[in-house]
Amino acid sequence: MFARGLKRKCSEEEAPADPLQRQSLLDMSLVKLQLCHMLAEPNLCRSVLIANTVRQIQEEMTQDGSWCLPGPQTAGRLPRDRLVSTEILCRSARAGPPQAPDPADLASALQAVPAIQVPGAVPAGPWGRAGPGESRGGFPRSLDQVFDTLESHSPGTVEELFSDVDGPYYDLDAVLTGMVGGAKSGPEGLETFASAAAPPPGTGCKADLGELDHVVEILVET
Amino acid sequence: MEEDIDTRKINNSFLRDHSYATEADIISTVEFNHTGELLATGDKGGRVVIFQREQESKNQVHRRGEYNVYSTFQSHEPEFDYLKSLEIEEKINKIRWLPQQNAAYFLLSTNDKTVKLWKVSERDKRPEGYNLKDEEGRLRDPATITTLRVPVLRPMDLMVEATPRRVFANAHTYHINSISVNSDYETYMSADDLRINLWNFEITNQSFNIVDIKPANMEELTEVITAAEFHPHHCNTFVYSSSKGTIRLCDMRASALCDRHTKFFEEPEDPSNRSFFSEIISSISDVKFSHSGRYIMTRDYLTVKVWDLNMENRPIETYQVHDYLRSKLCSLYENDCIFDKFECVWNGSDSVIMTGSYNNFFRMFDRNTKRDVTLEASRENSKPRAILKPRKVCVGGKRRKDEISVDSLDFSKKILHTAWHPSENIIAVAATNNLYIFQDKVN
């Protein structure tokens, strides 16, 4: 009875199908996760909910086969291996002095992303001056992840992606809105309402501006 | 839900009136004490402000006990955890009053990591005429003391002092989301994202861990504790809610570590409403026992539910708070509003429940008549002592006069924290940096 006054749009959105919409939701979620990850102590509830959403999307994509996996290396793997691990978001929960990246961690993180692996293609490079986030050991890796995910629908080299690091600063909302807008599949796609775009990213992702810029750049280039 | 017009008439007055709003002024918790005489607020700046209801005066009938500032103190300061190299915010997450046992008042306040017990007491006399120190408190040279006198108490202007009596620190790795005083009045619990600890008020250097849901491997973490509360009468019973929309009731008599619940409240998912956001919107942001102890109320993103302690498989009542947002979930996820933690409260007789929404709207649901009303806490749209008009949000179609369309709701104005006087129809509503107090219309 509650749905009576609502437009059909409502059920459209809730239908699991639209692959573009699902992909943009996945992208958005991964960006949120990365931003969480830059915080020393992220809002754990929010991180867990986003991670579960990502898992859910990935599981669904795996089931309907749209989880395209180029490269033979991933062919025989179980889907579970490729799901984003919560550990990626919650590293700081067991925070401590900067840790050397655990090779096993790295491996699992790379498995977690649905794209071509680019071994060694993302060295210190532009991230060399990434600021305090880097000292926590998780940051470069997380960007790899964003990069890899986005790369799946925008071929391009790392160099291209990072070529314009001094470009204009984009506010996160604008970026996300733009990203969603770009992936719009039609009039029933993900809409954004002006008033909602006004407040800043709320839950306190006070990310280092430099780091944010980098994420933004990647997205804008895409 | 019917289209309701609740004819409840409510007077209002507002107490805080900052012409500028800083982040630190944002109210983060509101709580009446057990008699309703005092109302405490905590803010993001770590301050606690206590309001006291003024005595009723017979010659001013329309002024029925307004609340005035009684005491203000800095409860928590920003800190730095050098071990983890991170800042600890001073923001007050929760305040809970202890039942009054003597002339002084006691309350617990907590930020993300540390709970403090504060004593708030009045002083209207001061001692004078000490022998060993002068009136300014400086020690006197004993050689100059030739006579002894008896110190006396002299009246002075009333002073309200807040003094920290206990500091309960170093027991939480994650962020404390709830504190709850037990009905034995000797213990309380503090809950963070993954653990719940039990404390004795007299002991600050140790606490007992009563719930721990932290997986050995954090990669397997899929659920967190979102709120917890003791039963109002049974000191062995408490509940906690989770990000998966479930509530667990635990009995501390069963075992020291309550990792096995006694009751598990969960509603089966409605397949017709399934979406990627199902789990996020079912995450429980607040859980409250009714005063009677028979029911528990939970708030999730779109609804308030009332559960009977004797029925675990579904709530006995479900109220839609702002169902028109169901079609906006993607945008609300995008701008992070979907993670807002709305709280909920019971009225004194457990017959009405109240919770907040966006656009400075808050909702009340009458459990008996099934009527509901949307009201607005705003300075622009209501004058002091004016009667609040019910508001209505229109979904699609034509917008009638006095209605506001979903698309013009202001999502930066959210009412997360409210409180209801324990026995009267007086409510306190925190809207960003403003505190509104509304009461039933005086005849």
Side-chain angles (χ1 to χ4, degrees):
Chain A
M1 71 184 274
F2 300 117
R4 196 175 50 186
L6 299 177
K7 287 191 216 164
R8 289 299 302 164
K9 176 189 282 191
C10 167
S11 54
E12 287 280 339
E13 184 173 298
E14 278 149 17
D18 189 340
L20 275 175
Q21 190 179 340
R22 193 168 56 187
Q23 182 64 46
S24 65
L25 190 60
L26 180 65
D27 293 346
M28 196 199 302
S29 304
L30 288 171
V31 170
K32 281 179 187 288
L33 286 188
Q34 305 320 319
L35 291 175
C36 279
H37 194 196
M38 290 174 195
L39 297 174
E41 214 169 46
N43 175 340
L44 196 58
C45 181
R46 179 174 172 274
S47 307
V48 164
L49 288 170
I50 296 172
N52 288 353
T53 305
V54 169
R55 287 191 185 105
Q56 193 191 334
I57 297 172
Q58 294 189 335
E59 245 164 287
E60 195 177 284
M61 289 171 85
T62 310
Q63 275 167 19
D64 68 16
S66 59
W67 193 249
C68 53
L69 299 161
Q73 55 162 354
T74 49
R77 230 172 252 149
L78 287 172
R80 192 157 298 278
D81 291 346
R82 294 187 292 271
L83 302 184
V84 161
S85 75
T86 314
E87 188 270 347
I88 293 171
L89 357 157
C90 307
R91 283 180 69 85
S92 56
R94 50 170 199 201
Q99 307 156 335
D102 176 353
D105 268 1
L106 265 169
S108 75
L110 289 172
Q111 284 166 17
V113 293
I116 312 155
Q117 308 295 320
V118 194
V122 193
W127 311 119
R129 49 190 181 88
E134 185 153 29
S135 65
R136 283 195 288 275
F139 176 58
R141 190 185 67 186
S142 39
L143 279 163
D144 284 2
Q145 223 187 331
V146 173
F147 161 69
D148 281 351
T149 315
L150 294 168
E151 192 199 35
S152 64
H153 51 86
S154 169
T157 66
V158 191
E159 286 72 22
E160 276 168 6
L161 277 170
F162 302 144
S163 59
D164 188 17
V165 261
D166 294 314
Y169 168 74
Y170 292 86
D171 155 70
L172 177 64
D173 262 348
V175 170
L176 290 176
T177 309
M179 191 175 75
V180 174
K184 232 177 195 169
S185 57
E188 307 291 1
L190 306 163
E191 80 275 339
T192 48
F193 39 109
S195 58
T203 334
C205 277
K206 291 178 217 147
D208 179 297
L209 275 192
E211 297 175 350
L212 193 59
D213 261 343
H214 286 305
V215 178
V216 165
E217 285 307 325
I218 298 169
L219 292 169
V220 170
E221 287 294 314
T222 318
Chain B
M1 291 290 123
E2 297 296 318
E3 299 185 359
D4 322 278
I5 294 162
D6 193 321
T7 49
R8 194 189 317 272
K9 303 280 196 302
I10 293 181
N11 270 347
N12 77 75
S13 59
F14 40 84
L15 294 162
R16 276 192 183 199
D17 191 352
H18 296 293
S19 51
Y20 60 95
T22 66
E23 177 83 1
D25 292 327
I26 295 173
I27 299 172
S28 51
T29 184
V30 192
E31 190 78 8
F32 279 104
N33 75 341
H34 295 262
T35 60
E37 184 205 350
L38 300 181
L39 172 69
T41 64
D43 64 26
K44 287 200 172 177
R47 285 162 301 192
V48 170
V49 180
I50 299 173
F51 300 90
Q52 185 183 41
R53 194 179 187 188
E54 75 183 21
Q55 296 301 310
E56 291 187 35
S57 63
K58 289 204 174 93
N59 47 5
Q60 288 177 296
V61 185
H62 67 278
R63 287 171 67 91
R64 202 179 65 172
E66 290 196 3
Y67 284 79
N68 299 313
V69 175
Y70 179 63
S71 172
T72 303
F73 58 93
Q74 188 75 34
S75 170
H76 287 68
E77 302 274 359
E79 285 180 78
F80 193 79
D81 183 336
Y82 292 95
L83 209 58
K84 292 185 183 169
S85 189
L86 55 89
E87 282 176 45
I88 302 170
E89 276 184 74
E90 65 273 31
K91 177 188 158 213
I92 307 296
N93 292 343
K94 283 279 154 56
I95 290 175
R96 288 289 177 269
W97 290 91
L98 275 64
Q100 195 176 0
Q101 287 170 323
N102 54 36
Y105 305 97
F106 287 85
L107 64 81
L108 287 173
S109 62
T110 186
N111 67 351
D112 284 341
K113 303 282 179 177
T114 303
V115 184
K116 293 184 181 179
L117 175 68
W118 288 89
K119 177 186 181 182
V120 181
S121 54
E122 294 183 358
R123 189 193 291 185
D124 59 358
K125 294 185 179 65
R126 73 192 145 100
E128 270 182 22
Y130 284 118
N131 290 293
L132 296 177
K133 53 187 178 184
D134 64 20
E135 301 310 328
E136 270 78 59
R138 287 183 298 255
L139 282 180
R140 291 163 67 183
D141 177 4
T144 66
I145 302 171
T146 52
T147 57
L148 290 180
R149 50 185 179 169
V150 179
V152 289
L153 289 174
R154 295 221 182 280
M156 61 172 221
D157 289 340
L158 180 70
M159 207 170 78
V160 181
E161 289 177 320
T163 42
R165 300 306 295 261
R166 305 272 185 277
V167 176
F168 306 91
N170 305 319
H172 285 278
T173 310
Y174 302 93
H175 291 174
I176 298 175
N177 53 46
S178 305
I179 44 176
S180 177
V181 177
N182 198 350
S183 57
D184 64 10
Y185 303 160
E186 289 184 358
T187 56
Y188 77 92
M189 68 171 160
S190 54
D192 69 25
D193 297 309
L194 299 176
R195 296 190 183 100
I196 301 177
N197 293 328
L198 180 69
W199 302 83
N200 185 298
F201 280 114
E202 300 300 324
I203 300 165
T204 57
N205 61 359
Q206 68 173 340
S207 66
F208 293 96
N209 181 231
I210 51 174
V211 173
D212 188 343
I213 64 163
K214 184 177 182 294
N217 181 354
M218 280 294 272
E219 285 187 45
E220 288 155 23
L221 180 68
T222 60
E223 184 175 15
V224 298
I225 298 167
T226 53
E229 191 178 49
F230 268 120
H231 189 282
H233 313 305
H234 301 147
C235 64
N236 53 293
T237 309
F238 68 94
V239 291
Y240 69 92
S241 59
S242 96
S243 59
K244 284 192 185 292
T246 62
I247 309 116
R248 288 172 177 83
L249 182 137
C250 301
D251 185 344
M252 293 194 290
R253 295 173 302 188
S255 61
L257 183 65
C258 299
D259 45 7
R260 264 193 301 244
H261 50 260
T262 307
K263 283 174 185 273
F264 182 70
F265 300 85
E266 183 178 35
E267 186 176 30
E269 191 183 27
D270 176 4
S272 67
N273 267 342
R274 237 191 91 71
S275 80
F276 286 123
F277 305 111
S278 297
E279 181 179 330
I280 300 179
I281 62 171
S282 70
S283 174
I284 293 175
S285 50
D286 197 15
V287 62
K288 291 273 168 62
F289 270 107
S290 63
H291 295 88
S292 69
R294 168 75 187 269
Y295 304 104
I296 40 181
M297 167 168 56
T298 56
R299 172 69 210 260
D300 57 40
Y301 191 60
L302 296 179
T303 70
V304 194
K305 291 172 181 163
V306 177
W307 305 74
D308 187 328
L309 281 195
N310 301 316
M311 188 165 74
E312 296 165 62
N313 61 348
R314 63 185 168 86
I316 53 168
E317 293 154 30
T318 299
Y319 300 97
Q320 302 295 332
V321 178
H322 39 215
D323 201 52
Y324 43 79
L325 298 182
R326 196 176 285 280
S327 60
K328 305 282 181 197
L329 292 178
C330 200
S331 303
L332 293 161
Y333 180 64
E334 185 183 347
N335 67 12
D336 265 356
C337 283
I338 204 168
F339 302 106
D340 286 334
K341 297 194 78 173
F342 291 100
E343 297 171 1
C344 52
V345 290
W346 299 88
N347 74 335
S349 61
D350 296 339
S351 60
V352 183
I353 55 187
M354 173 171 64
T355 190
S357 178
Y358 293 104
N359 207 56
N360 278 347
F361 287 173
F362 58 98
R363 304 263 289 145
M364 286 185 189
F365 303 94
D366 187 318
R367 300 177 59 212
N368 299 320
T369 63
K370 301 295 172 198
R371 290 197 303 179
D372 66 70
V373 64
T374 303
L375 299 169
E376 180 179 10
S378 98
R379 228 181 309 173
E380 293 77 29
N381 295 331
S382 60
K383 295 193 177 71
R385 245 172 291 286
I387 291 167
L388 283 182
K389 271 195 304 193
R391 304 299 311 254
K392 203 159 182 304
V393 177
C394 80
V395 279
K398 279 196 186 136
R399 186 169 67 89
R400 268 181 260 163
K401 213 181 143 201
D402 295 342
E403 287 187 351
I404 179 164
S405 87
V406 182
D407 293 322
S408 51
L409 293 174
D410 186 340
F411 286 84
S412 67
K413 292 179 177 165
K414 48 194 93 176
I415 292 183
L416 304 174
H417 317 284
T418 61
W420 203 307
H421 188 288
S423 55
E424 293 180 45
N425 282 336
I426 299 176
I427 57 168
V429 175
T432 319
N433 62 324
N434 292 299
L435 177 69
Y436 294 85
I437 296 182
F438 303 102
Q439 64 176 34
D440 259 350
K441 191 184 178 191
V442 184
N443 296 323

